[in-house]
Amino acid sequence: MSSSKNSAPRHYLFSTDHRVIGVQYLVLALVSVTIGTLLSLLMRIHLVWPDRIVPFHGPILPEDYLALVTIHGTIMLFFVLTTAPQSGFGNLILPSQIGARRMAFPVANAVSFWLTAAALVILLSSTFVPGGSAISGWTAYPPFSAIASAGPGQGAGMDLWLASIAVFAVAGTISAINTLVTIIKLRCEGMTWDRIPLTVWGWFTAALLSIIAFSVLLAALLLLFCDRHAGTSFFVPTGDLINGVIHAASHPGNGSPLLWLHLFWFFGHPEVYIAILPGLGLTSMLLANFSRRRVFAYRMMIVTTLLIGFLGILLWGHHMFVAGLNPYAASAFAVSTMAIAIPASAKVLSWLVTVWRSRPHYTTAMLFSLGFVSLFITGGLTGPVLAQPILDEYLHNTFFVVAHFHLIMAMAGIFGLFAATYYWFPLMTGRLMSESLGRLHFWTTILGAYATFLPMHLTGLMGEPRHYAQLIGVPNAAGHLLAGTLPLNRFITWSAIFLATAQLLFFANLIHSLRYGKPAPPNPWQATTLEWHPALHPNAPAEASEERIVVYRQPCEYLATAGEELILPQWSTEAIPNIKPE
Amino acid sequence: MIPFCIQPGSFALSLATWGLPFDASAHGPAVDHHLLLNLWIILGLAALAHLILLVGLVARRRAEATSWRVEYLPLAALTILFAFLTIRAERLWAATRYTGADPAALQVQVVGEQFAWYFRYPGTDYTFGITRPQLVDAGAGNPLGIDPADGHGADDIVTSELVLPTNRQVDLRINSLDVIHGFSVPEMRLKQNAVPGMTIHVHFTPKVPGTYAILCTQVCGMGHYRMNANLRVLPPEEFAAWLAAKQKSVQP
């Protein structure tokens, strides 16, 4: 599609070039993460200073607060944590990492991007409809979400939310099929399954999960839509009385809200692995690369990636321990959830051993990978705590849970994205990002991340529930319980403001380096994976597109001889002299 | 009416318990103990992992990575640790949830409605009257829709605060009139969603007299944050007096 007869907008806007689409996804994610972050700051500020007036808006009403929660969660989860690693960097890097020159279905690729963009516009447009955006959180539990009169935003706002996520689910499925087919069919010669970079294994497993999970989500969305508009009652029980009205005429059947929870979390839990799996793979590769070491237990890392994916679809019920689930079922889900701690621990062990006494090169990308490891450990360890039903009975829907998933998903997920950006920026632009600015960005961000999300464990233990529009002015004994968390909450809000402000360093670095960054050498990080292959490099000469790509070895092979490092990229034909099997 | 958690000296206590609210239920101390054990273990593991990471980063460089064995031993140890925690947690979970309440337990119904909690005691006949959503009329003093045609309902007591005696098991039957709510009593270490169309039983035993918070912990609409009630735990004789007074007021 690079023929000269195409006009510029057609070329850049409706391109089927996977690299252009990758950048489009990343720009979309950048816009989304900016909106999502600003919304979260509004929430944090309102929580501790509820009387502040927002310019151009006025006071934040309880329904506004819940709309902020809903849009923040939806936009961050779908349009940032799913889109950027999986579709953004997946498109940019995945084909070259397996020695392919394109994605399997270029047109479907463009379609899925434009559907994603449409989904974002639909979601944001719900702010402007009567009643405003949906206020039921990103989980949209019925009957609250099933009946338009249940509250502000549950009318047109909820319909738009459903439409947005449905369109996103279709786009995600198309994108996932594209990823899977590309990996299965378009690998170059010699790229056997055990030589595929772990990043690609992350994308592969996430794509498998996407296909399974998004189809169930789409089905659930359609059922909920039918409940709202077609007189069905999949999720609305008989005699449901909302706002003084019995909805027997509009919902004549006897449905169960729990059905939605099952369908939703069957999607919702794999979704968090879709968000984190590419980051897990990338972290392994970067730690190894900057330590000049092989990935410790490479094949085991492939197995644990697949195992995390497989177990990831078996444990949705741990969101439902106090939802009305049979207590015996809760026990089964507790065991499957605890089980996932084992492959996750194996990953952490591999990382620790890989960098152990290696004296790595502390590039910004490496720092963010180390930050990823740290946040994955800290955020991950509260997972087994929440997996125990008796403890979840106390901690469910408190800020302890918010702390857990923000550390592991939001923060570790974003650290993976930062590592990817600093690492692949030379490939995208031919320039290096500023390392000194990058280091400052890393240290302020990790400080801000921990200062913001660690204290949330404590307010959670103190009993602070999620989704509370106000902690001040609540009557009864509850008011006293909530007021006790205020000092810590003020600290968290200041930390969040600090964390968000630190991201200006990233934007400054991005903009500055685009124009004035140091020109990058062809393989600035001495990487071993194929995206740095001279013939697959974006600005390789035209005749390179004919060159045959052959892979001879696993990624991350290095020879440390006295005083010098010998890098053996996957395309290197050099034999390894005298390697002792371990 | 002073909540127990602001008693003098409780600040030091709250440091030792990571800020957990006062624990006033019979099953609570075991739960707290297990929770604190968990928190200390994960704090230890997080510290250990970060220590290994830091030492590994600053220590003198070694030529090659370590042997395969370092993967399996720690992994086996962690598996045993997680299994131990799972089994311990399961025993506590089974003790509170696998079996129903004692037949002698005090019966109370809990009903969530946007944005209030209602509590119903069965009265002198120990039987709850039939309710119908068509009859719900909070303005006319019948917020739960008790059917006047059913004799069992005539002596039912409906309150907006939950009053319970100490040291007697309570069997709560929880449901909701409209959307999903979260019935939560942090100081009793108790939480259970109230789901319309379902009646869910949980049971517990309050130990310490006092006034405690009942929250809603499942987002249910714009009034979610102020959907709460008080739980008042009284010594048995005071509870009996309270119940008698309430019963007198509903006697025909």
Side-chain angles (χ1 to χ4, degrees):
Chain A
M1 272 293 178
S2 55
S3 62
S4 55
K5 65 172 181 268
N6 284 338
S7 62
R10 200 182 146 91
H11 178 63
Y12 288 108
L13 226 47
F14 299 106
S15 171
T16 52
D17 180 334
H18 64 96
R19 286 202 176 95
V20 175
I21 294 172
V23 172
Q24 287 173 331
Y25 269 119
L26 288 182
V27 170
L28 179 118
L30 206 58
V31 171
S32 304
V33 79
T34 309
I35 298 171
T37 305
L38 291 175
L39 297 184
S40 71
L41 287 184
L42 276 181
M43 279 148 58
R44 282 307 320 175
I45 289 169
H46 178 71
L47 209 52
V48 297
W49 300 298
D51 299 331
R52 287 288 154 92
I53 305 289
V54 179
F56 309 111
H57 176 83
I60 293 185
L61 304 172
E63 55 267 40
D64 298 336
Y65 182 84
L66 289 174
L68 287 173
V69 172
T70 306
I71 300 297
H72 166 78
T74 310
I75 208 169
M76 288 302 206
L77 213 70
F78 290 99
F79 296 95
V80 181
L81 291 173
T82 308
T83 295
Q86 185 68 4
S87 309
F89 286 111
N91 266 304
L92 263 173
I93 305 299
L94 185 149
S96 13
Q97 275 208 340
I98 55 169
R101 288 188 161 87
R102 58 184 186 87
M103 292 290 277
F105 307 118
V107 177
N109 207 1
V111 168
S112 103
F113 169 74
W114 284 106
L115 285 178
T116 309
L120 180 63
V121 172
I122 296 170
L123 181 71
L124 295 177
S125 70
S126 70
T127 316
F128 305 106
V129 298
S133 308
I135 64 168
S136 47
W138 83 283
T139 56
Y141 283 1
F144 188 33
S145 57
I147 290 169
S149 62
Q154 301 309 92
M158 191 68 214
D159 283 326
L160 287 174
W161 187 89
L162 288 174
S164 165
I165 303 309
V167 172
F168 188 93
V170 172
T173 309
I174 296 174
S175 178
I177 291 170
N178 204 351
T179 303
L180 279 185
V181 175
T182 306
I183 296 172
I184 293 169
K185 301 294 284 185
L186 299 187
R187 279 169 296 136
C188 68
E189 193 182 335
M191 184 57 88
T192 53
W193 286 102
D194 64 343
R195 286 179 182 165
I196 294 181
L198 292 172
T199 327
V200 177
W201 274 112
W203 282 317
F204 179 82
T205 315
L208 275 178
L209 289 181
S210 298
I211 290 178
I212 298 166
F214 276 120
S215 54
V216 174
L217 174 69
L218 190 58
L221 293 168
L222 289 175
L223 296 186
L224 186 54
F225 195 80
C226 288
D227 267 13
R228 291 171 61 82
H229 298 292
T232 60
S233 28
F234 292 105
F235 308 123
V236 183
T238 308
D240 206 37
L241 174 77
I242 293 186
N243 262 331
V245 178
I246 301 170
H247 292 270
S250 51
H251 301 87
N254 186 11
S256 164
L258 279 195
L259 174 61
W260 169 268
L261 270 71
H262 279 292
L263 294 173
F264 181 84
W265 286 116
F266 187 82
F267 148 79
H269 201 82
E271 164 65 27
V272 307
Y273 293 107
I274 293 169
I276 204 77
L277 277 164
L280 291 174
L282 179 67
T283 296
S284 286
M285 301 306 287
L286 293 197
L287 292 181
N289 187 60
F290 290 111
S291 305
R292 303 287 185 259
R293 284 270 180 82
R294 274 177 290 173
V295 175
F296 177 71
Y298 197 86
R299 281 169 189 240
M300 184 54 90
M301 289 302 262
I302 298 175
V303 172
T304 52
T305 302
L306 291 169
L307 210 54
I308 286 175
F310 175 69
L311 290 171
I313 51 177
L314 294 183
L315 45 76
W316 74 91
H318 69 217
H319 296 268
M320 300 168 67
F321 291 154
V322 298
L325 201 63
N326 184 312
Y328 292 93
S331 301
F333 284 119
V335 171
S336 66
T337 308
M338 287 302 242
I340 211 164
I342 294 160
S345 304
K347 286 209 172 289
V348 173
L349 284 171
S350 162
W351 297 331
L352 294 182
V353 177
T354 302
V355 298
W356 177 252
R357 293 174 69 181
S358 69
R359 287 290 177 118
H361 301 249
Y362 291 109
T363 61
T364 307
M366 178 65 176
L367 287 177
F368 273 104
S369 299
L370 289 169
F372 181 99
V373 173
S374 170
L375 291 162
F376 189 82
I377 293 168
T378 325
L381 277 168
T382 41
V385 178
L386 291 164
Q388 300 166 41
I390 188 73
L391 301 184
D392 182 69
E393 179 175 354
Y394 179 68
L395 297 169
H396 188 82
N397 273 358
T398 64
F399 262 75
F400 193 88
V401 180
V402 178
H404 162 70
F405 73 76
H406 275 86
L407 274 180
I408 196 159
M409 264 178 72
M411 286 302 107
I414 292 280
F415 269 54
L417 290 173
F418 281 139
T421 308
Y422 283 99
Y423 183 69
W424 284 318
F425 190 80
L427 212 56
M428 294 149 67
T429 63
R431 291 177 188 276
L432 292 162
M433 285 180 83
S434 158
E435 283 288 313
S436 47
L437 214 53
R439 272 195 285 275
L440 187 62
H441 174 221
F442 167 75
W443 286 111
T444 47
T445 304
I446 191 144
L447 183 70
Y450 273 126
T452 306
F453 297 110
L454 275 184
M456 284 187 189
H457 292 102
L458 295 177
T459 67
L461 287 168
M462 290 161 90
E464 184 193 358
R466 297 167 69 179
H467 303 129
Y468 267 32
Q470 256 172 259
L471 303 170
I472 303 165
V474 175
N476 295 332
H480 182 264
L481 190 86
L482 296 174
T485 68
L486 262 177
L488 261 178
N489 267 310
R490 291 206 181 93
F491 175 79
I492 294 169
T493 297
W494 281 116
S495 302
I497 293 169
F498 171 78
L499 176 60
T501 312
Q503 304 319 305
L504 295 177
L505 291 169
F506 175 71
F507 279 97
N509 200 345
L510 209 58
I511 292 164
H512 182 266
S513 304
L514 265 175
R515 291 286 303 274
Y516 308 108
K518 263 193 291 181
N523 187 356
W525 316 118
Q526 314 285 295
T528 56
T529 41
L530 283 182
E531 76 269 28
W532 305 98
H533 188 295
L536 289 167
H537 207 274
N539 43 21
E543 60 268 23
S545 63
E546 302 300 318
E547 193 181 319
R548 202 166 64 104
I549 311 289
V550 186
V551 160
Y552 298 97
R553 61 189 78 240
Q554 281 186 345
C556 306
E557 287 198 354
Y558 310 91
L559 278 179
T561 50
E564 68 171 317
E565 289 159 340
L566 182 57
I567 315 309
L568 297 172
Q570 287 191 278
W571 64 89
S572 154
T573 51
E574 216 160 315
I576 307 176
N578 235 350
I579 281 279
K580 272 191 302 211
E582 306 207 18
Chain B
M1 287 294 276
I2 295 172
F4 260 76
C5 46
I6 57 161
Q7 274 195 339
S10 70
F11 180 68
L13 187 74
S14 80
L15 279 182
T17 58
W18 298 46
L20 283 172
F22 185 79
D23 191 331
S25 69
H27 73 284
V31 175
D32 282 8
H33 186 241
H34 185 66
L35 176 60
L36 294 173
L37 175 73
N38 263 272
L39 293 175
W40 284 113
I41 286 176
I42 65 165
L43 191 68
L45 286 177
L48 183 68
H50 280 86
L51 193 71
I52 293 172
L53 190 63
L54 287 176
V55 169
L57 289 173
V58 298
R60 202 164 49 87
R61 182 164 185 157
R62 205 161 64 171
E64 245 321 306
T66 330
S67 119
W68 284 73
R69 245 158 290 160
V70 302
E71 171 117 358
Y72 296 106
L73 281 177
L75 207 54
L78 284 172
T79 308
I80 292 168
L81 177 68
F82 290 136
F84 160 74
L85 290 177
T86 311
I87 292 166
R88 240 179 95 98
E90 266 314 304
R91 292 173 67 92
L92 292 171
W93 177 248
T96 55
R97 294 281 183 126
Y98 273 17
T99 52
D102 191 313
L106 174 70
Q107 303 289 321
V108 185
Q109 187 189 19
V110 177
V111 181
E113 186 192 10
Q114 287 176 326
F115 300 100
W117 291 111
Y118 290 103
F119 309 96
R120 180 159 72 131
Y121 299 76
T124 43
D125 63 354
Y126 301 110
T127 311
F128 289 102
I130 292 170
T131 58
R132 300 183 195 284
Q134 298 85 345
L135 302 173
V136 168
D137 189 349
N142 192 5
L144 302 184
I146 298 171
D147 189 346
D150 176 31
H152 293 303
D155 61 346
D156 287 4
I157 301 160
V158 178
T159 63
S160 56
E161 66 170 353
L162 180 58
V163 181
L164 298 174
T166 52
N167 298 321
R168 180 173 171 195
Q169 199 178 75
V170 190
D171 180 19
L172 297 177
R173 48 187 76 194
I174 302 173
N175 63 0
S176 163
L177 285 178
D178 42 34
V179 303
I180 300 178
H181 299 281
F183 179 77
S184 166
V185 197
E187 279 131 334
M188 297 291 158
R189 307 296 186 261
L190 187 72
K191 188 178 288 148
Q192 174 60 55
N193 278 4
V195 184
M198 286 176 81
T199 299
I200 301 160
H201 284 260
V202 290
H203 55 89
F204 73 108
T205 308
K207 292 293 277 188
V208 187
T211 302
Y212 308 109
I214 295 172
L215 307 168
C216 175
T217 53
Q218 185 63 56
V219 61
C220 60
M222 50 197 269
H224 169 57
Y225 72 101
R226 55 181 160 79
M227 176 169 171
N228 63 50
N230 279 346
L231 161 61
R232 205 143 56 85
V233 177
L234 303 173
E237 54 283 9
E238 281 181 43
F239 173 76
W242 174 85
L243 195 63
K246 278 283 174 189
Q247 253 150 17
K248 203 170 286 173
S249 69
V250 296
Q251 286 313 319

